[in-house]
Amino acid sequence: MAEAHQAVAFQFTVTPEGVDFRLSREALKHIYLSGINSWKKRLIRIKNGILRGVYPGSPTSWLVVVMATVGSSYCNVDISLGLVGCIQRCLPRGCGPYQPPQTQALLSMAIFSTGVWATGIFFFRQTLKLLLSYHGWMFEMHGKTSHLTRIWAICIRLLSSRRPMLYSFQTSLPKLPVPRVSATVQRYLESVRPLLDDEEYYRMEMLAKEFKEKTAPRLQKYLVLKSWWATNYVSDWWEEYIYLRGRSPLMVNSNYYVMDLVLVRNTDVQAARLGNVIHAMIMYRRKLDREEIKPVMALGIVPMCSYQMERMFNTTRIPGKETDTLQHLSDSRHVAVYHKGRFFKLWLYEGSRLLQPRDLEMQFQRILDDPSPPQPGEEKLAALTAGGRVEWAQARQAFFSSGKNKAALEAIERAAFFVALDEESYWYDPEDEASLSLYGKALLHGNCYNRLGTPSPTDYITSKLGLKLGLNAEHAWADAPIIGHLWEFVLGTDSFHLGYTETGHCLGKPNPALAPPMRLQWDIPKQCQAVIESSYQVAKALADDVELYCFQFLPFGKGLIKRCRTSPDAFVQIALQLAHFRDRGKFCLTYEASMTRMFREGRTETVRSCTSESTAFVQAMMEGSHMKADLRDLFQKASKKHQNMYRLAMTGAGIDRHLFCLYVVSKYLGVSSPFLAEVLSEPWCLSTSQIPQSQIRMFDPEQHPNHLGAGGGFGPVADDGYGVSYMIAGENMIFFHVSSKFSSSETNAQRFGNHIRQALLDIADLFQVPKADS
């Protein structure tokens, strides 16, 4: 109630003499400051829109063109070749004598200059788009740059020499191209050849041939038409059909987690850690709103699409019976907090002023010290978001569409993000390998009712004593590199810019006059409590079935791998193929995520890592009779094949997104395709992903080698398969996150992790590089 009281700007009473207003200076001051802050944001967005809209031009360059045109006219030189005169004759003369010829001439020159300036910007943008469509540099050997690529790089630098804003390059990025059907089908057949015997492969060849000749041409025409009309021919359908239309629980199946810096310990005070981190989060959001974040650039010159960052905050996934929707707010001034079964609303601002870390620490400590018990049904309420999407949609409509339940749910759904204050303690102890896996399990699903990954895009989770933080991210709105970019900024700001006192508290002094966080009020009937319990049981069964094995691989990292003259990613992926064959005695369809962010609104593509070359190497390793030189040769062929496939995927020539979109078109047209139906139903028994790092250089990793995150992970995609996430953390270390299901008798995450370890060592041994020097 203190919060509500503070928000009132004035009070009045009715007296015999009339109405007596009692104005509150402090409240009016906050209203005034809040309004000023809102107008500042509007003006910043208007300014950003202008600057971004004219990039690589600028208002200054417009002024230069105008001055050049006007100056030339005073020198009796008509650089417009008569166009200024034509414009002047076309201007309306309604003002008569009040519009002298000099004014008309200046106006004509301004119009001409603006046209020349806009034409120049359009030409530069189209040239930049054409240059960014060149991807030959990706296929050149390291250290052997062609003259064409060098000229291309110089042109890119010249056209983008000004300091770009976050979204400056968006309109200059090329569109994702639609591959030729024949090329996609051919690459698909190559990818499944090592997985099928001769009879099965012949059958698939016949299905592919029939599809290519009869069905595909019609579907391809619609897809090409969409690529002309839409910004990206894949992304909207991918978001809708892969994510938003999924009806199974998001927890484990879709959401993923990200870990803290695991080798350093900043403070033992839970509220203090959150104070710094949440402040850093809002600092990042402010930079995002002002577009002050630099675009991610490959090679330092090729911009990546920043579209996914637009919905990083203030985004809600609303459940539906058939499909969910993503609702994005322009701004949110509070976070939702969960602690001991209670929900709170915590304001991030006092008027227009962002709360400082010490103020936020005090507010979180107030929540931690609050002794009030949960209301009936409140403790496990979040389990609704962990169960099936249909059940949550029905419960939301039945029990949260009016009254105090609607108001409380809106406070959560309209939050910038969600914060969970856990009562459990988790950390990473290098002497206790199991501690990392327990930490990962806590982040992946918690106790099934203290994670809320859907109303806001990300849960921020802190363990008791503040030992470790973590994220649980909803996947529909963006992919892991986007969250990784944010998380690197937050952890770097926390460690190197904000800091702590000697006693572990945030720096500065708190303002005790701040109204405490507001406890959300619920009225949850017995029927709703039964639905909550049902969703909780579904989520618990799902969580209990997940086996997660996280480990730190210390013998070597990318330093040694590069000395083997191969890509670190290819090295790990081939090791995963060897490990899987040793684990299961067979090869399987393997998914590796790559990105297509060199194209506008690009998201991901699949690299099918199980190739004929990698299987040939694995089989030779298993035979044990080959010379090391022969094995090295087979490994290099497999590595080159993998690198080429990764580059093809990144440059829009992948397989799976094209086939997926053809399948969607076939469904719209009511066309049956046995080939597409079989391709889209194939299970990914090994799903892998590499976690990016060092997207933001906030500190020197050589000077601070222990400031390493352990990456993150996800649940298995197939019931009898593995999910593997890995981060090549610097020169001497790799983190792995391996998941499987206890219910499968064929998989075991720890066993597979041990096979990965041994496979890495065995491949490194082929090159006879001393691991002690790594």
Side-chain angles (χ1 to χ4, degrees):
M1 297 304 293
E3 176 192 68
H5 176 76
Q6 185 171 310
V8 175
F10 62 89
Q11 304 169 6
F12 68 91
T13 58
V14 180
T15 69
E17 290 78 22
V19 180
D20 176 28
F21 287 87
R22 295 198 300 275
L23 296 176
S24 167
R25 279 189 180 181
E26 189 66 22
L28 285 175
K29 175 186 173 184
H30 285 303
I31 288 177
Y32 168 75
L33 292 174
S34 182
I36 292 294
N37 190 51
S38 296
W39 277 106
K40 280 183 179 178
K41 281 189 174 181
R42 290 190 183 114
L43 291 174
I44 288 170
R45 285 170 182 164
I46 291 170
K47 182 198 76 173
N48 288 348
I50 293 171
L51 295 177
R52 184 191 340 122
V54 301
Y55 187 87
S58 68
T60 304
S61 64
W62 172 82
L63 187 60
V64 169
V65 176
V66 172
M67 292 175 66
T69 305
V70 173
S72 66
S73 71
Y74 280 106
C75 297
N76 296 320
V77 177
D78 185 10
I79 62 173
S80 71
L81 302 178
L83 284 176
V84 169
C86 291
I87 294 170
Q88 188 170 350
R89 288 192 294 272
C90 294
L91 289 176
R93 302 178 182 274
C95 297
Y98 301 103
Q99 190 179 49
Q102 292 87 347
T103 303
Q104 285 195 329
L106 286 173
L107 184 59
S108 301
M109 285 185 279
I111 292 172
F112 167 77
S113 301
T114 302
V116 170
W117 179 67
T119 302
I121 289 172
F122 176 79
F123 171 76
F124 283 132
R125 279 190 177 174
Q126 292 305 114
T127 304
L128 188 58
K129 183 180 289 189
L130 185 64
L131 289 170
L132 292 175
S133 299
Y134 169 72
H135 299 122
W137 58 274
M138 290 193 67
F139 295 88
E140 293 177 352
M141 292 183 64
H142 184 68
K144 295 185 179 180
T145 307
S146 66
H147 293 300
L148 176 62
T149 297
R150 288 175 181 172
I151 295 170
W152 164 83
I154 292 170
C155 293
I156 290 282
R157 291 184 189 279
L158 288 174
L159 286 176
S160 56
S161 58
R162 286 185 59 235
R163 182 180 297 175
M165 302 175 72
L166 178 61
Y167 303 119
S168 291
F169 290 109
Q170 290 300 96
T171 55
S172 299
L173 292 174
K175 287 188 176 184
L176 184 68
V178 181
R180 292 181 294 108
V181 171
S182 58
T184 297
V185 169
Q186 181 59 38
R187 282 196 287 269
Y188 168 78
L189 290 173
E190 286 180 13
S191 73
V192 297
R193 184 64 188 96
L195 305 175
L196 305 176
D197 60 28
D198 292 343
E199 184 178 342
E200 291 171 331
Y201 182 72
Y202 176 75
R203 184 183 67 84
M204 186 56 71
E205 268 191 322
M206 293 300 102
L207 288 176
K209 182 179 179 181
E210 181 186 20
F211 169 74
K212 183 171 64 174
E213 294 175 352
K214 297 182 179 178
T215 311
R218 183 186 175 195
L219 305 182
Q220 181 79 347
K221 288 177 183 176
Y222 282 95
L223 213 52
V224 171
L225 180 63
K226 186 192 177 189
S227 73
W228 292 345
W229 178 253
T231 310
N232 188 294
Y233 83 93
V234 176
S235 293
D236 57 338
W237 284 351
W238 187 254
E239 180 177 296
E240 179 180 356
Y241 293 107
I242 298 301
Y243 294 116
L244 297 181
R245 284 185 179 259
R247 301 293 81 199
S248 58
L250 300 184
M251 188 187 75
V252 175
N253 293 323
S254 179
N255 288 13
Y256 57 92
Y257 67 86
V258 185
M259 287 181 170
D260 198 353
L261 301 175
V262 292
L263 302 179
V264 295
R265 185 166 169 174
N266 292 325
T267 179
D268 292 340
V269 182
Q270 186 176 15
R273 188 77 200 285
L274 277 171
N276 268 1
V277 165
I278 300 306
H279 183 80
M281 296 289 304
I282 303 306
M283 286 173 61
Y284 185 91
R285 186 177 71 168
R286 180 181 288 175
K287 286 179 174 288
L288 201 62
D289 289 340
R290 296 177 178 180
E291 300 183 33
E292 295 172 353
I293 296 171
K294 296 179 181 179
V296 176
M297 312 281 275
L299 295 182
I301 59 172
V302 181
M304 300 289 105
C305 179
S306 301
Y307 166 73
Q308 295 178 62
M309 302 177 87
E310 293 179 3
R311 297 182 293 183
M312 187 173 288
F313 297 94
N314 327 321
T315 301
T316 305
R317 178 165 174 166
I318 304 296
K321 292 183 180 179
E322 294 184 358
T323 183
D324 293 352
T325 55
L326 287 175
Q327 173 183 291
H328 178 68
L329 306 175
S330 60
D331 194 18
S332 179
R333 298 172 63 81
H334 72 276
V335 294
V337 183
Y338 177 90
H339 177 243
K340 285 188 176 180
R342 295 98 34 92
F343 289 88
F344 296 84
K345 180 179 181 180
L346 190 157
W347 289 102
L348 298 168
Y349 293 83
E350 182 188 16
S352 63
R353 183 183 70 89
L354 172 63
L355 294 185
Q356 293 303 302
R358 190 67 179 88
D359 292 328
L360 289 167
E361 178 189 344
M362 178 187 70
Q363 297 292 64
F364 280 112
Q365 193 61 52
R366 284 172 168 177
I367 292 174
L368 292 168
D369 295 339
D370 188 322
S372 60
Q375 299 162 75
E378 183 182 16
E379 182 179 13
K380 295 183 180 180
L381 180 60
L384 287 171
T385 68
R389 303 305 294 163
V390 174
E391 292 77 9
W392 170 214
Q394 292 171 340
R396 189 176 188 275
Q397 178 64 33
F399 304 112
F400 299 90
S401 58
S402 62
K404 62 172 65 176
N405 287 351
K406 180 181 180 181
L409 183 60
E410 283 184 349
I412 296 174
E413 291 183 336
R414 298 178 74 85
F417 45 85
F418 182 76
V419 181
L421 307 179
D422 283 3
E423 280 298 289
E424 299 79 16
S425 292
Y426 34 84
W427 63 92
Y428 174 48
D429 179 2
E431 302 299 322
D432 178 13
E433 185 180 75
S435 62
L436 193 64
S437 301
L438 293 173
Y439 176 23
K441 284 274 284 183
L443 297 179
L444 181 61
H445 52 67
N447 63 13
C448 302
Y449 58 79
N450 60 356
R451 303 287 176 263
L452 203 65
T454 54
S456 53
T458 310
D459 289 6
Y460 296 89
I461 303 150
T462 177
S463 75
K464 191 176 182 180
L465 303 179
L467 293 173
K468 285 291 166 275
L469 282 167
L471 308 181
N472 183 292
E474 203 278 311
H475 213 324
W477 62 277
D479 302 306
I482 304 301
I483 282 290
H485 191 279
L486 160 74
W487 198 228
E488 283 184 30
F489 175 89
V490 169
L491 296 180
T493 302
D494 173 40
S495 296
F496 297 100
H497 295 279
L498 297 178
Y500 298 88
T501 66
E502 292 180 359
T503 55
H505 293 281
C506 297
L507 301 177
K509 294 182 179 180
N511 176 12
L514 285 174
M518 184 177 71
R519 177 80 186 274
L520 299 183
Q521 300 299 312
W522 308 91
D523 181 13
I524 302 174
K526 294 291 185 182
Q527 302 96 310
C528 183
Q529 293 181 35
V531 177
I532 292 172
E533 183 61 28
S534 176
S535 291
Y536 168 67
Q537 294 301 330
V538 170
K540 189 174 186 304
L542 183 62
D544 289 345
D545 196 25
V546 174
E547 180 186 8
L548 186 66
Y549 179 54
C550 308
F551 65 94
Q552 183 182 13
F553 182 77
L554 290 170
F556 58 85
K558 68 179 178 183
L560 179 142
I561 295 173
K562 287 181 177 179
R563 284 151 61 191
C564 298
R565 297 183 180 181
T566 188
S567 153
D569 182 66
F571 190 99
V572 174
Q573 284 291 329
I574 296 169
L576 290 175
Q577 292 299 314
L578 177 58
H580 188 273
F581 192 86
R582 286 172 172 173
D583 185 81
R584 300 285 298 274
K586 61 181 179 180
F587 298 106
C588 71
L589 194 62
T590 305
Y591 182 110
E592 182 190 3
S594 74
M595 61 94 177
T596 55
R597 287 175 60 203
M598 289 191 295
F599 301 96
R600 192 170 179 183
E601 295 186 17
R603 289 198 61 165
T604 61
E605 179 56 275
T606 304
V607 179
R608 293 174 168 238
S609 304
C610 183
T611 63
S612 296
E613 289 80 359
S614 66
T615 56
F617 167 75
V618 169
Q619 288 169 338
M621 286 286 287
M622 295 301 295
E623 288 172 9
S625 58
H626 293 260
M627 302 291 290
K628 280 190 175 182
D630 296 332
L631 291 172
R632 284 197 298 270
D633 184 56
L634 289 171
F635 176 85
Q636 292 293 358
K637 288 179 180 177
S639 176
K640 289 177 182 177
K641 175 67 173 182
H642 183 271
Q643 290 178 70
N644 187 62
M645 290 173 57
Y646 203 98
R647 290 161 179 159
L648 286 171
M650 289 184 66
T651 53
I655 301 169
D656 290 276
R657 300 302 177 267
H658 186 204
L659 293 176
F660 161 76
C661 288
L662 290 171
Y663 180 75
V664 173
V665 174
S666 74
K667 287 298 181 181
Y668 279 135
L669 298 179
V671 175
S672 176
S673 170
F675 172 74
L676 288 177
E678 187 156 337
V679 169
L680 271 295
S681 64
E682 292 170 339
W684 300 98
C685 289
L686 181 56
S687 181
T688 72
S689 179
Q690 182 184 179
I691 304 161
Q693 61 166 335
S694 299
Q695 298 183 75
I696 307 176
R697 300 282 293 187
M698 294 192 69
F699 60 91
D700 186 349
E702 292 185 4
Q703 294 184 8
H704 305 278
N706 287 335
H707 282 71
L708 288 173
F714 51 88
V717 174
D719 289 340
D720 60 348
Y722 291 111
V724 180
S725 176
Y726 55 94
M727 188 176 79
I728 303 172
E731 299 295 311
N732 306 306
M733 194 184 308
I734 308 174
F735 283 99
F736 285 92
H737 304 253
V738 183
S739 63
S740 64
K741 292 193 175 183
F742 286 113
S743 57
S744 172
S745 60
E746 299 181 29
T747 58
N748 182 290
Q750 184 164 354
R751 183 185 71 207
F752 187 45
N754 291 333
H755 283 308
I756 293 172
R757 273 197 188 95
Q758 191 58 51
L760 290 168
L761 293 171
D762 289 346
I763 294 175
D765 186 60
L766 295 178
F767 293 87
Q768 296 180 334
V769 180
K771 291 179 275 299
D773 295 340
S774 64

